[in-house]
Amino acid sequence: MSRKLKLLVYGVLLVCCVPFVFPTWWMATTSLKPVNEIFAFPPRLWPRDVTFDAYRQVFALQPFGQQYLNSLYIAVLVTVGTLVVSSLAGYAFARIPFRGSGVVFVVVLAGLLVPNEVTIIPLYRMFDGLGLVNTHWPLILIPVLGAPSVLATFIMRQFFITLPRELEEAGRVDGLGRFGLFWQVSLPLAKPAIGAVSIFTFLHSWNLFLEPIVFLSSKDKFTIPQALTQYVDAYGGALWNVQLAAATLSALPVLVIFVLAQRQFVEGLAQTGLKG
Amino acid sequence: MTLLASKPAPLVRPPERAPYWTMRRRDELAGWLMVAPQLVGIVAFVIVPLGLVVWYSLHEWNVLAGTFDFVGGANFEQLASDPRLGPALRATGLFSVGLVVLNLSLALFLAVLLNQKLRGTVVFRTLFFSPVVVTLVAWTIVWGFLLQDNGGINGFLDLIGLDGPNWLRGESTAMISVIVVQLFKGVGLNMVLFLAALQGVPAELYEAARIDGASAWARFRRVTVPLISPTILLTSILTVVGSLQVFAQIAVLTQGGPGTSTTVLVYYLYQQAFQFHHFGYGATISLLLFVIVLALTVLQWRMRRKWVFHES
């Protein structure tokens, strides 16, 4: 590649970066600006007077700490639950020749075609009938057992299919049963797939918006996405600096973890048989 | 795909009853036990609700009045003549087509750039991927803030002497804004998948094409695209289905407005069911959404025979 072309590619990449990076930067810096500065003209990339007032209000106006914990524990439970369900099912579909596996697989895959948005009304009625509206159960059970876990099962299956048969045959010789083979031979090798599924699932739960606003009504039960939209003044206008402070608190930890572990993140994703 | 035990069968069978729990039977049981949670979940949380959606759609259901009356196809007739259906379908189509086309082309463009042997591409890859891990509503809120009439974007446009519109309040600019917000949020994911696919294209194929005197564009068209076509199919299916599910972005940025210009089908369904409490009518809209998802997925799956290239 010639020098000129190299420079051109770098230039294009740099320009392309702006819409990806700038919003996050703007979110974090605006949350540190005093109210009279957030709409200042010309726009400032760095606050003139740094203030943490917005962050004080985040916790003063709503039980934001509680809401943060809600989001966190739900996302962790959903991730663990999905890993259990999808690794078992993905393994069985990939490695066990049981009668009816083809039919069951098609039934499960049908879950991919039925987004939760389609079934939200009956799901609401079902949980309402069980007295579980305004609890966290629907936010945990629907992702783990319903349509969202199907993609995880699919990723797991794609991975388990690639494992060489000799490994399990050796395990058989050592006297391992079916669960032994799964637990001691195949699962330890599935780290990339487990990583990718965990990331996907955690983010999906962390971002969930329709389900919480349908199922939850009391502020101490809210999860972060719903809480973010509640920072408004008496007229329903957004308290921008408070919203952005809360948004920063919700986004930065995940972002930092991602940057630290980005190798596993991106490469795990690329290796998971999502190559078509 | 049968996994038979590799122990050779003994030549002389000892004269005893074969145990009931043969390897095959055990596998049978293990297989069913392992898929049981997923299967039960799909039945309870997907198939039963889907049946209920059909059932509800045949009823006039007023939650507030507590009535639930069988009305047959009345909901469907009402939907067919609903003056808001056309705009909702139009908004859904605009959003989906706009997002999918822009997302796939930008993802492929960035992946090709990052696939050049250049230093520092990992840094760019991280930056492009970073919005994927930013909380969805947080990302939406900051764009909502930037797109205000006196917000950051118009501020910067002003600096270079341009007068920006009130993005989220204009009929045509609102839809464009929502698409762009979603584009930058999710394009990194497809970019990474394309990058993985590109790295799997054997270098000797490019060499051969180069020796044959193919231009860069011809190499891209004739070598790269066919070889990564399975990934293109997969990302397009995922992106299309994802685009039909978009809800949070609309709810936070425009609430379906201005007018009904960004009221996509999911948002209209939400309004009917959870704002106006028309569960029967909402279920009818759900069914329509399901049919659209199904039709588009089947269509793409059919098309794969046409243009997805498989190494045989």
Side-chain angles (χ1 to χ4, degrees):
Chain A
M1 214 188 257
S2 69
R3 247 189 89 111
K4 249 191 191 148
L5 198 56
K6 256 188 196 168
L7 280 177
L8 180 72
V9 172
Y10 277 127
V12 172
L13 283 172
L14 270 176
V15 172
C16 284
C17 260
V18 173
F20 290 89
V21 180
F22 175 72
T24 310
W25 173 263
W26 198 245
M27 171 175 77
T29 51
T30 305
S31 70
L32 299 170
K33 288 175 186 171
V35 180
N36 60 12
E37 213 185 312
I38 61 173
F39 283 116
F41 183 82
R44 290 194 203 110
L45 290 174
W46 186 253
R48 186 172 290 172
D49 309 304
V50 173
T51 167
F52 289 96
D53 190 50
Y55 286 88
R56 241 199 326 280
Q57 286 190 58
V58 165
F59 292 92
L61 295 174
Q62 283 194 86
F64 192 70
Q66 176 69 50
Q67 292 161 340
Y68 210 98
L69 281 177
N70 291 344
S71 267
L72 199 61
Y73 101 85
I74 290 170
V76 168
L77 275 182
V78 167
T79 306
V80 172
T82 302
L83 280 176
V84 172
V85 169
S86 67
S87 62
L88 282 169
Y91 177 83
F93 287 132
R95 320 277 326 176
I96 308 180
F98 64 99
R99 259 193 310 252
S101 97
V103 176
V104 177
F105 188 59
V106 170
V107 171
V108 169
L109 269 194
L112 276 181
L113 297 177
V114 190
N116 279 345
E117 288 74 7
V118 168
T119 48
I120 190 76
I121 297 173
L123 286 172
Y124 176 79
R125 301 300 304 178
M126 284 159 69
F127 280 102
D128 196 21
L130 296 167
L132 295 178
V133 165
N134 204 23
T135 69
H136 290 145
W137 283 106
L139 275 56
I140 297 163
L141 289 176
I142 294 172
V144 171
L145 292 170
S149 65
V150 173
L151 192 59
T153 295
F154 186 71
I155 293 173
M156 281 299 195
R157 171 182 171 268
Q158 293 301 85
F159 185 85
F160 283 128
I161 281 179
T162 62
L163 293 181
R165 271 172 59 174
E166 290 74 18
L167 288 167
E168 296 211 326
E169 283 167 7
R172 281 273 193 215
V173 172
D174 292 342
L176 286 175
R178 213 8 118 173
F179 280 93
L181 291 175
F182 164 72
W183 186 248
Q184 295 183 35
V185 178
S186 297
L187 199 59
L189 293 168
K191 284 204 183 85
I194 291 174
V197 167
S198 308
I199 291 158
F200 261 124
T201 312
F202 188 92
L203 286 176
H204 182 268
S205 172
W206 193 252
N207 286 334
L208 218 52
F209 187 73
L210 175 65
E211 285 82 352
I213 67 170
V214 165
F215 285 108
L216 303 178
S217 50
S218 45
K219 282 207 170 183
D220 60 322
K221 297 253 176 26
F222 282 4
T223 53
I224 293 171
Q226 196 179 2
L228 291 180
T229 60
Q230 303 281 321
Y231 290 108
V232 289
D233 59 26
Y235 306 101
L239 296 164
W240 286 113
N241 57 338
V242 186
Q243 284 202 2
L244 292 166
T248 306
L249 286 173
S250 81
L252 273 192
V254 187
L255 209 55
V256 168
I257 292 169
F258 160 65
V259 170
L260 292 178
Q262 66 101 20
R263 253 208 123 95
Q264 288 80 338
F265 236 77
V266 176
E267 274 146 35
L269 203 79
Q271 293 177 9
T272 49
L274 271 182
K275 295 185 186 179
Chain B
M1 268 294 303
T2 50
L3 278 173
L4 293 172
S6 56
K7 286 184 198 162
L11 291 174
V12 185
R13 274 204 176 283
E16 54 178 72
R17 273 219 345 254
Y20 179 78
W21 285 110
T22 55
M23 181 87 80
R24 174 171 278 281
R25 284 210 172 90
R26 272 191 214 160
D27 259 3
E28 201 77 13
L29 179 69
W32 278 100
L33 281 177
M34 282 177 159
V35 298
Q38 174 88 85
L39 184 60
V40 170
I42 293 297
V43 170
F45 291 119
V46 175
I47 294 173
V48 169
L50 200 57
L52 286 174
V53 166
V54 176
W55 180 242
Y56 292 171
S57 72
L58 302 171
H59 292 79
E60 171 67 46
W61 185 353
N62 190 323
V63 181
L64 301 180
T67 54
F68 186 72
D69 307 312
F70 186 84
V71 292
N75 279 322
F76 294 88
E77 284 162 23
Q78 190 192 334
L79 186 62
S81 59
D82 187 340
R84 292 193 56 192
L85 178 68
L89 287 174
R90 188 173 159 270
T92 309
L94 269 177
F95 181 86
S96 291
V97 171
L99 179 68
V100 172
V101 169
L102 288 173
N103 187 322
L104 293 181
S105 32
L106 183 60
L108 191 53
F109 174 72
L110 292 175
V112 168
L113 281 186
L114 291 183
N115 200 33
Q116 308 305 323
K117 310 268 175 295
L118 282 176
R119 284 164 59 180
T121 46
V122 171
V123 176
F124 283 111
R125 188 186 69 185
T126 307
L127 295 177
F128 291 141
F129 192 82
S130 66
V132 175
V133 301
V134 171
T135 321
L136 175 64
V137 173
W139 180 258
T140 311
I141 284 175
V142 71
W143 276 91
F145 176 63
L146 281 165
L147 291 162
Q148 297 294 300
D149 202 13
N150 53 349
I153 289 177
N154 284 350
F156 284 106
L157 286 177
D158 226 359
L159 287 182
I160 52 172
L162 291 171
D163 187 21
N166 189 346
W167 298 93
L168 296 172
R169 296 273 174 275
E171 293 262 342
S172 53
T173 51
M175 181 53 90
I176 295 167
S177 305
V178 177
I179 291 173
V180 164
V181 171
Q182 187 50 21
L183 171 69
F184 291 122
K185 173 82 175 80
V187 74
L189 194 59
N190 286 341
M191 177 196 79
V192 166
L193 294 174
F194 281 142
L195 199 53
L198 288 173
Q199 281 161 355
V201 178
E204 51 268 25
L205 284 178
Y206 287 123
E207 276 310 307
R210 196 168 295 154
I211 290 163
D212 290 346
S215 66
W217 174 243
R219 288 200 298 270
F220 177 76
R221 276 282 325 274
R222 299 287 156 82
V223 179
T224 311
V225 172
L227 279 173
I228 65 166
S229 56
T231 306
I232 296 179
L233 174 77
L234 178 92
T235 49
S236 86
I237 290 183
L238 289 177
T239 313
V240 167
V241 175
S243 74
L244 291 167
Q245 292 171 280
V246 87
F247 172 79
Q249 299 82 328
I250 306 275
V252 172
L253 285 174
T254 62
Q255 289 91 48
T260 55
S261 59
T262 57
T263 302
V264 293
L265 215 46
V266 174
Y267 196 76
Y268 188 43
L269 150 71
Y270 170 80
Q271 284 181 320
Q272 284 291 352
F274 297 100
Q275 288 180 350
F276 312 144
H277 301 287
H278 300 154
F279 277 8
Y281 195 54
T284 316
I285 303 170
S286 301
L287 265 187
L288 177 63
L289 181 67
F290 172 64
V291 169
I292 294 174
V293 172
L294 196 66
L296 287 176
T297 312
V298 169
L299 191 74
Q300 293 179 86
W301 196 245
R302 277 271 162 86
M303 274 168 51
R304 91 181 195 282
R305 293 211 186 89
K306 265 217 169 71
W307 58 265
V308 171
F309 169 87
H310 285 289
E311 276 181 281
S312 45

